[in-house]
Amino acid sequence: MDQEATGPQAGHDARLVRPGRRAMFRAGMAAGMVALAGRARAEAPAPPADDPWSQTPGPGVVSRVYGHPSHFEKDVIRRNVPFLTATPQSSVSFTPLQSQQGIITASGLFFERYHAGRPTVDPAKHRLMIHGMVEQPRLYAMRDIERFPSISRIHFIECPANGGMEWRAAQLNSLQFTHGMIGCADWTGVKVSTILEEVGIKPEGKWALVEGADGAHMARSIPVSKLLDDCMLVYGQNGEALRPEQGYPLRLLVPGWQGNVNVKWIRRIQIGDQPWFTREETSKYTELMPDGKARGFTWKLYAKSVITFPCPEMPVNAPGLYEIRGFAWSGLGRIKAVDVSIDGGVNWTRARLDGLVLPKAMTRFTLPWRWDGKPALLQSRAIDETGFVQPTITELRAARGVNAIYNNNSIQTWQVKENGSVFDVQLG
Ligand SMILES: Nc1nc2c(c(=O)[nH]1)N[C@H]1C(S)=C(S)[C@@H](COP(=O)(O)O)O[C@H]1N2
Ligand SMILES: [Mo]
């Protein structure tokens, strides 16, 4: 059974999400600091209290066991929406983006999506088979793959169903549930091109079937050109071995393309001359258009962004100076700019891009904001290096209708109320 999906938080209902006390505390910190500064002018602040932790030595080194975050951070966890899927084995848990610091998603918080649960794959027994239209079919053990020249790259993975529940209306009052099917990590592994050069692709080999070793045998068709361009066979994640949730011991990374093609526990790459039209690219992961036809092979993830503070889980408190924070990403390349609006898209201000701005990676943006205590409608709009501008939900519905589940990259609106609480809304 999937622990994450059946643990104590399993009963968490998306419709009932309210900020916890700790979240309220955090959100109020900026305002609190301003208030403190005001008070300091009147009377000198009291020296720090000699709390119990200041009076004795603490426990010794955390050695010979795996280290964990402070237990005060115990609410920063993946969460799932039990009514969303039939079983925890065909489920998804969402990244708590409201608590993500910086562009790297901690491995224990990286969203998970399984079609048949999480297999326990023995790395000593795991094999990657490469066959089909190749000169030299091969069966690789993990130690063979780890021997090849390697690279490390920071990339996001996003399920195209991220935001899929919001096509018709705003119904999940939570950043974690509207946007949490994304994570960004530092991945280490081998370029697929390195291995495909070893086996030699025959000239007619234009497509590849990539298949997982899980019970779902998740299989997708990918053009060989994409595999040779920037795909990786990944065994490292954020400085350690790939996590079981992410496909231990080996996963395919397809930078900038929808999460589904990033096959976990990968065991087979078959080269052919046409796509296979598997279940996951016909009955699933296609988009029903208003004219009744379905769009297929919509792999590319276009520019998207979201404000992570404030958000429903991280409200504001007293009026004063805050920093609006968020993430932007594009499957087409680098983020060029992010604009932020506090009046529902009437006026826009360019945000500051902070830290690393990498292709097909989450990018951090910030903008100072003096909240006057009045209602506000916060939005962010990403623009990538190809010039693509993130659309509004109205524009997206006009283009694709409301039957689509996948690829909702629309601008998110957070409504800030006078009492500081924040709600997921859509502007008509
Ligand atoms: N073998 C296998 N690979 C898989 C899946 C799966 O169920 N089995 N789920 C896919 C889907 S739908 C997504 S969105 C991503 C999620 O990656 P993550 O679980 O590492 O976040 O993995 C993809 N790769
Ligand atoms: Mo997915």
Side-chain angles (χ1 to χ4, degrees):
M1 283 295 263
D2 180 0
Q3 259 194 334
E4 262 69 41
T6 54
Q9 75 277 21
H12 190 97
D13 185 330
R15 290 162 305 186
L16 297 177
V17 173
R18 285 293 174 270
R21 255 199 316 173
R22 204 186 47 77
M24 294 286 269
F25 169 74
R26 271 228 191 141
M29 281 230 303
M33 270 146 62
V34 173
L36 268 177
R39 220 178 302 145
R41 274 193 292 276
E43 54 185 278
D50 221 356
D51 282 304
W53 55 80
S54 310
Q55 296 174 18
T56 55
V61 290
V62 181
S63 116
R64 293 167 178 267
V65 290
Y66 198 90
H68 291 285
S70 161
H71 74 263
F72 293 106
E73 301 295 318
K74 68 179 180 352
D75 293 335
V76 181
I77 44 177
R78 292 184 283 230
R79 293 177 193 277
N80 68 329
V81 183
F83 64 76
L84 209 61
T85 55
T87 69
Q89 284 82 17
S90 62
S91 195
V92 56
S93 70
F94 297 74
T95 300
L97 280 184
Q98 66 275 17
S99 306
Q100 182 166 318
Q101 315 281 357
I103 62 169
I104 299 292
T105 307
S107 298
L109 301 175
F110 202 104
F111 85 102
E112 318 149 87
R113 173 76 177 99
Y114 308 144
H115 289 69
R118 177 182 62 249
T120 304
V121 178
D122 179 348
K125 291 191 180 146
H126 188 67
R127 296 288 180 273
L128 174 68
M129 179 161 94
I130 306 190
H131 67 129
M133 293 177 175
V134 296
E135 304 295 346
Q136 183 74 57
R138 289 288 302 268
L139 197 60
Y140 291 109
M142 282 306 296
R143 63 169 187 277
D144 304 324
I145 291 167
E146 285 161 1
R147 215 177 61 182
F148 281 112
S150 62
I151 58 168
S152 286
R153 293 286 182 275
I154 295 175
H155 287 302
F156 72 85
I157 293 179
E158 184 185 20
C159 176
N162 203 16
M165 287 167 282
E166 306 258 308
W167 269 100
R168 288 159 193 266
Q171 57 168 340
L172 296 167
N173 198 40
S174 150
L175 167 66
Q176 188 161 6
F177 294 131
T178 56
H179 288 78
M181 278 195 247
I182 186 171
C184 184
D186 182 15
W187 309 102
T188 301
V190 188
K191 286 166 122 179
V192 178
S193 60
T194 305
I195 293 187
L196 289 185
E197 274 159 30
E198 282 276 310
V199 300
I201 299 177
K202 292 192 170 156
E204 63 272 31
K206 296 289 177 230
W207 285 84
L209 182 79
V210 290
E211 182 190 75
D214 53 335
H217 293 157
M218 167 68 62
R220 290 290 311 251
S221 310
I222 299 181
V224 165
S225 57
K226 175 64 178 174
L227 283 185
L228 294 176
D229 177 23
D230 60 356
C231 293
M232 291 168 69
L233 286 160
V234 158
Y235 47 76
Q237 174 183 359
N238 295 340
E240 59 183 358
L242 189 65
R243 287 286 174 95
E245 296 92 316
Q246 266 66 59
Y248 181 86
L250 193 67
R251 103 174 287 166
L252 181 67
L253 185 75
V254 187
W257 283 24
Q258 53 180 220
N260 187 257
V261 295
N262 294 255
V263 166
K264 304 192 273 191
W265 316 287
I266 186 168
R267 69 169 187 183
R268 195 160 75 88
I269 302 178
Q270 183 182 352
I271 305 294
D273 57 2
Q274 52 194 348
W276 277 257
F277 295 102
T278 68
R279 173 183 181 272
E280 309 299 336
E281 52 206 23
T282 49
S283 137
K284 302 284 180 278
Y285 297 95
T286 50
E287 292 163 41
L288 186 56
M289 300 293 285
D291 65 2
K293 289 189 178 153
R295 297 202 306 161
F297 297 122
T298 52
W299 302 292
K300 286 181 187 164
L301 295 165
Y302 290 84
K304 186 168 174 179
S305 68
V306 70
I307 291 172
T308 58
F309 177 78
C311 72
E313 290 95 331
M314 295 285 182
V316 289
N317 188 349
L321 180 63
Y322 289 89
E323 183 181 60
I324 294 174
R325 298 177 186 141
F327 297 111
W329 59 94
S330 167
L332 303 186
R334 283 185 178 78
I335 289 296
K336 190 170 78 191
V338 178
D339 297 326
V340 168
S341 174
I342 59 169
D343 56 12
V346 180
N347 297 288
W348 295 94
T349 307
R350 196 132 283 193
R352 180 177 70 104
L353 301 185
D354 176 64
L356 294 173
V357 180
L358 299 169
K360 305 171 190 178
M362 281 168 82
T363 300
R364 191 169 182 266
F365 67 86
T366 66
L367 185 73
W369 175 47
R370 196 168 285 283
W371 183 46
D372 55 10
K374 301 208 178 87
L377 292 168
L378 307 185
Q379 297 184 330
S380 65
R381 178 176 71 187
I383 301 150
D384 72 17
E385 63 182 342
T386 71
F388 183 92
V389 182
Q390 186 182 359
T392 64
I393 185 69
T394 312
E395 288 166 342
L396 211 56
R397 282 197 199 113
R400 308 236 195 99
V402 292
N403 293 323
I405 297 169
Y406 304 107
N407 297 323
N408 177 1
N409 66 326
S410 65
I411 291 171
Q412 172 67 44
T413 308
W414 299 131
Q415 177 185 41
V416 181
K417 300 229 166 142
E418 266 165 352
N419 67 3
S421 55
V422 180
F423 291 88
D424 173 24
V425 297
Q426 290 185 356
L427 305 181

